Amino acid sequence: MPDSIAQQISKLRQQIQKYNYNYYTLDSPSITDAEYDRQIKLLRELEARHPEFASSDSPSQSVGGKVLEAFSKVQHELPMLSLGNVYSASELHDFIERITKRLEHATELDFCVEPKLDGLAISLLYEQGKLVQAATRGDGSVGEDVTHNVKTIQNIPQTLSGSDFPARLEVRGEVVMPIADFIRFNQQAISEGNKGFVNPRNAAAGSLRQLDATITAQRPLAFYSYGIGIVEQGQLADSHYQRLQQLKKWGLPLTNEISLETGAEGCLNAYQKLRQQRANLPYEIDGIVYKVDNIMLQERLGFVARAPRWATAHKFPAQEEQTKLLDVEFQVGRTGAITPVAILEPVFVGGVTVSRASLHNADEIARLNLKIGDTVIIRRAADVIPQIVQALPNSGVSSEIIFPTTCPICSSEIERLENESIARCTGGLYCAAQRKEAIRYFASRKAMNIDGLGVKVVEQLVDAQLINTPADLFNLTAEQLIPLERMGQKKADNLIQAIAHCKQTHFAKFLLALGIREVGEATAKNLAEHFLTLEALQKANKEALQEVDDVGEVVAQHIVTFFRQPHNQTVIQALLAAGIHWPDMPAKTTQAHTLSGKTFVLTGSLTHMSRNEAKQALQALGAKVSSSVSKKTDYVIAGKDAGSKLNKAEALGIEVLNEEAFLNLLNHA
Ligand code: D41
């Protein structure tokens, strides 16, 4: 006699569940893919023809199910609250004192104490003992429907055990990826050329938020309950601890480290104990949670701002681990700073696998007395860059860390000034690490003022290897630019024109554009006025340079080292060969400073020159140009549509020149 339809469906479901288990959990398929597909298809057809036997926990609904377009939203019937924090024993005492007072409680309170799993909070809804919906916490009010994915998590029961469970029951807890599984999963991913996850928390979150449940099914996730939401038609204990035990009886997983404690002392004992267990637990925890155990007292305490008054988390301090320093690499930053980077034997600390750590600078290496081969202690506070905090005396062989004297990228000299902790590459114009920054600076408004050559364009040009140094800008063609993002023919033409246009410049601007360390606008101007020509400047030694206003020993050293680099020289020659030129600097004469000591303010617009040109003309004659009118102002030059500055000048009785009078002054100065 043939099986009834119901029997046939039930048998198929059981078989497929077993295949799934062999395939996804044991990683050992027991049938071929084709046979598996055939059986799933058969099950789906039977279920479609006999909707009276449909069931949400059928394997047809989850594994191998359709890939979802997007998660649908789930409104939590009862909001999923958040947790407050205490960071010390004294804050815990305050917390307990506060609630004891509020409750007017005469004796010490009992607390249910739980490890604080570092995972993803979710809600599981059981109706008549069947898992009907799973949702992420989301913002506490609205989460995402992850029912299909959650159904693939091995330790979550699809149906509750026993019979005394409520008709509707919402279980809340955390989904985690156990540490051992995380490490194995990441090793596998990396060996297959894929990226691993940074930590088990991200791995759990990323795995749960897969639109394709077959991917989630391959991820080793686990769930642990921490509380209860909706309850309808059922009897629950009046103690949180006892309620968790009820969940366990119905088949829901709990962590092993849950306990009942009395008063602050009991809580702190549990904290210390858990801290010691931490490194040996199968999952990542980042603290402990204390919850008033008595449900009646919980209800009297209520909550403030979405967090219950009756619970708080107590975070653990930063974690430390030992590992070995394998090597030190030297990285060159955007501005030429050389940073030593520790290469470590990978170690799992504070929730992530650490294999590199910044050593900041040579002083830090000296401070730690660090050598390659040393055993080191790595500390990582939550979300903080890992640090080496200590080097341990080592019995094995250790070798000195040798700071390079030339740049690992471009082999220019590395300069480290006395009293400075940072060493820098001096190949600013040429070094590949500094390329983008150097070109962007070269083109900036204050320097060569190439309109349309912003950060994004520079990045693209360098990445496409169209330019390596600022000198290459002058060989670009519109055809090369057009394919760039958000460029087009018109912008490309404009940019080519702007590049051509910038060749006509001023000595000081050119100097500034070279990006010599600590040579800003004012220093560049002083250098230009003092040395008059590039040749003279390049020949100047440190002493000669220090005769210039504002140039001290440090700046003088930067200038000498910069011009000494052959690579920088090559680029400078290429820039000049491209046609960059500037008017001769006026020779220093007494006449040139006829306006020295006088302060001018410019207002309104001039017709014969820009405001900036007027300013430069005045400065060339030794005048000071200020932006606001005061008693110290000697002259106000008022162009068209001059406004409040003109009024102020008149009020203060300051001499006002119109454009014609101003031009006259310049011509006769
Ligand atoms: O293990 C945890 N991460 C954990 C989280 C826990 N053991 N207990 C928790 N209890 C709550 C309350 C007291 C609000 C029911 C929690 C969380 N909440 C929680 N998880 C994520 C946000 C809040």
Side-chain angles (χ1 to χ4, degrees):
M1 223 183 79
D3 285 350
S4 74
I5 298 293
Q7 279 174 325
Q8 221 179 318
I9 289 180
S10 159
K11 219 163 136 187
L12 260 175
R13 284 178 184 163
Q14 277 176 23
Q15 268 172 3
I16 293 171
Q17 248 144 13
K18 208 170 122 216
Y19 301 147
N20 284 344
Y21 181 75
N22 291 337
Y23 185 89
Y24 293 120
T25 309
L26 304 182
D27 234 359
S28 138
S30 47
I31 51 165
T32 63
D33 288 355
E35 179 58 20
Y36 178 89
D37 289 345
R38 206 187 59 75
Q39 295 204 16
I40 276 271
K41 194 162 162 247
L42 182 60
L43 175 63
R44 289 222 179 93
E45 281 167 3
L46 283 171
E47 288 176 341
R49 266 189 280 138
H50 301 276
E52 69 272 25
F53 299 129
S55 167
S56 59
D57 60 3
S58 166
S60 66
Q61 298 299 301
S62 48
V63 180
K66 269 210 326 266
V67 175
L68 303 174
E69 292 295 312
F71 295 103
S72 44
K73 299 274 180 262
V74 171
Q75 171 94 42
H76 297 296
E77 285 178 44
L78 297 174
M80 290 183 77
L81 300 176
S82 55
L83 264 178
N85 274 305
V86 295
Y87 292 96
S88 63
S90 94
E91 284 184 23
L92 174 64
H93 277 112
D94 292 349
F95 167 79
I96 293 179
E97 196 181 301
R98 211 165 45 238
I99 57 176
T100 308
K101 269 206 183 125
R102 201 180 176 91
L103 290 168
E104 296 174 340
H105 201 76
T107 57
E108 287 208 284
L109 290 167
D110 288 332
F111 291 91
C112 178
V113 173
E114 306 165 16
K116 184 169 181 294
L117 298 185
D118 197 7
L120 196 75
I122 64 159
S123 142
L124 305 175
L125 184 61
Y126 288 90
E127 288 179 355
Q128 322 301 340
K130 271 194 181 173
L131 177 61
V132 293
Q133 186 180 66
T136 61
R137 177 174 178 275
D139 64 2
S141 300
V142 178
E144 284 175 321
D145 188 328
V146 286
T147 312
H148 291 263
N149 301 345
V150 162
K151 283 190 172 178
T152 70
I153 299 177
Q154 253 258 284
N155 75 343
I156 295 182
Q158 311 261 333
T159 49
L160 298 181
S161 312
S163 56
D164 60 341
F165 45 76
R168 272 183 106 218
L169 175 70
E170 183 195 2
V171 180
R172 292 169 174 186
E174 296 266 325
V175 169
V176 299
M177 187 180 284
I179 297 172
D181 293 307
F182 165 75
I183 291 172
R184 207 174 312 130
F185 178 82
N186 256 8
Q187 278 171 350
Q188 174 86 11
I190 288 161
S191 75
E192 287 166 2
N194 297 318
K195 267 225 225 103
F197 284 108
V198 291
N199 58 40
R201 208 201 96 79
N202 282 12
S207 300
L208 201 58
R209 295 196 71 266
Q210 288 289 333
L211 289 170
D212 182 352
T214 59
I215 297 180
T216 312
Q218 299 167 56
R219 304 286 171 80
L221 299 178
F223 172 84
Y224 297 96
S225 321
Y226 69 63
I228 291 173
I230 303 163
V231 184
E232 282 173 24
Q233 297 169 43
Q235 278 304 304
L236 290 183
D238 55 11
S239 135
H240 179 75
Y241 182 83
Q242 292 305 335
R243 287 184 170 191
L244 293 181
Q245 302 312 316
Q246 283 182 294
L247 292 182
K248 187 170 176 181
K249 201 178 67 186
W250 295 327
L252 286 150
L254 298 183
T255 52
N256 280 327
E257 296 75 25
I258 299 175
S259 65
L260 259 181
E261 308 290 343
T262 302
E265 203 187 309
C267 288
L268 289 171
N269 280 341
Y271 175 88
Q272 293 305 349
K273 188 168 163 217
L274 191 60
R275 253 192 82 181
Q276 289 179 355
Q277 290 176 292
R278 186 184 189 185
N280 300 315
L281 295 180
Y283 27 66
E284 271 287 300
I285 64 173
D286 58 356
I288 193 167
V289 186
Y290 311 119
K291 301 178 180 177
V292 170
D293 187 56
N294 185 319
I295 302 290
M296 236 169 54
L297 296 183
Q298 285 187 2
E299 280 164 4
R300 276 176 55 202
L301 285 167
F303 51 88
V304 260
R306 323 218 90 214
R309 280 203 191 88
W310 45 265
T312 196
H314 189 171
K315 293 277 188 74
F316 291 139
Q319 244 181 311
E320 294 187 351
E321 283 297 337
Q322 283 190 14
T323 187
K324 204 172 149 187
L325 179 65
L326 300 177
D327 197 4
V328 174
E329 276 179 17
F330 293 88
Q331 275 180 355
V332 190
R334 204 166 53 85
T335 58
I338 311 280
T339 313
V341 178
I343 308 301
L344 305 165
E345 207 162 85
V347 59
F348 192 73
V349 48
V352 297
T353 304
V354 173
S355 54
R356 298 164 76 85
S358 169
L359 285 167
H360 308 295
N361 52 52
D363 290 347
E364 177 77 357
I365 293 175
R367 188 181 71 77
L368 294 166
N369 188 21
L370 197 60
K371 294 185 180 55
I372 291 165
D374 279 356
T375 297
V376 291
I377 294 176
I378 306 295
R379 176 188 298 156
R380 187 178 166 279
D383 298 322
V384 173
I385 299 164
Q387 273 186 307
I388 293 185
V389 289
Q390 202 188 336
L392 300 175
N394 194 31
S395 49
V397 268
S398 296
S399 57
E400 291 291 332
I401 296 165
I402 297 165
F403 221 90
T405 55
T406 57
C407 174
I409 304 285
C410 76
S411 74
S412 295
E413 278 177 83
I414 284 176
E415 181 183 56
R416 182 180 173 195
L417 300 178
E418 253 177 88
N419 305 324
E420 269 197 31
S421 49
I422 308 277
R424 284 175 201 274
C425 164
T426 54
L429 277 183
Y430 170 84
C431 180
Q434 302 170 68
R435 232 162 234 174
K436 291 178 181 171
E437 182 63 15
I439 296 167
R440 191 200 59 75
Y441 189 80
F442 180 85
S444 65
R445 195 160 299 272
K446 287 184 306 183
M448 301 302 280
N449 191 17
I450 305 177
D451 217 23
L453 195 66
V455 185
K456 283 266 161 349
V457 179
V458 171
E459 293 223 324
Q460 294 185 69
L461 288 171
V462 172
D463 291 341
Q465 296 183 332
L466 289 170
I467 54 176
N468 287 329
T469 75
D472 298 330
L473 286 169
F474 300 94
N475 297 322
L476 285 173
T477 62
E479 286 66 39
Q480 289 174 307
L481 296 179
I482 291 166
L484 302 185
E485 254 171 68
R486 269 175 266 142
M487 182 56 79
Q489 177 84 48
K490 180 142 175 59
K491 279 193 184 168
D493 287 341
N494 287 345
L495 181 50
I496 294 294
Q497 224 179 10
I499 292 171
H501 191 74
C502 88
K503 291 181 189 173
Q504 156 83 55
T505 184
H506 295 277
F507 184 24
K509 298 212 169 238
F510 178 76
L511 270 182
L512 182 68
L514 297 180
I516 304 168
R517 275 197 61 68
E518 291 184 44
V519 174
E521 232 173 337
T523 309
K525 182 167 165 286
N526 292 342
L527 287 168
E529 284 170 359
H530 185 94
F531 290 103
L532 305 176
T533 67
L534 182 59
E535 296 73 34
L537 174 62
Q538 298 207 55
K539 274 192 216 134
N541 58 19
K542 267 173 83 171
E543 289 66 43
L545 285 163
Q546 286 177 67
E547 281 170 27
V548 177
D549 274 356
D550 289 342
V551 176
E553 197 182 333
V554 170
V555 182
Q557 182 61 61
H558 286 315
I559 297 169
V560 168
T561 323
F562 181 89
F563 285 120
R564 189 164 68 203
Q565 304 310 311
H567 291 315
N568 289 342
Q569 281 301 333
T570 311
V571 178
I572 291 171
Q573 290 317 313
L575 287 169
L576 298 176
I580 291 185
H581 63 284
W582 50 86
D584 285 345
M585 294 296 290
K588 278 170 284 184
T589 63
T590 44
Q591 185 218 356
H593 284 89
T594 45
L595 295 181
S596 71
K598 300 283 185 227
T599 299
F600 285 71
V601 173
L602 292 156
T603 178
S605 52
L606 302 171
T607 49
H608 286 82
M609 58 179 85
S610 71
R611 186 96 70 93
N612 211 19
E613 285 166 331
K615 180 177 167 185
Q616 286 177 357
L618 286 167
Q619 284 172 339
L621 294 169
K624 257 174 76 179
V625 179
S626 164
S627 57
S628 60
V629 179
S630 74
K631 275 185 286 182
K632 292 188 191 144
T633 310
D634 295 294
Y635 298 96
V636 168
I637 294 164
K640 244 187 22 217
D641 302 324
S644 63
K645 289 182 192 172
L646 175 58
N647 297 338
K648 189 162 179 195
E650 283 167 347
L652 291 173
I654 292 164
E655 191 166 339
V656 177
L657 306 178
N658 62 15
E659 182 164 355
E660 195 186 337
F662 170 53
L663 293 174
N664 238 333
L665 175 84
L666 290 184
N667 288 333
H668 294 95

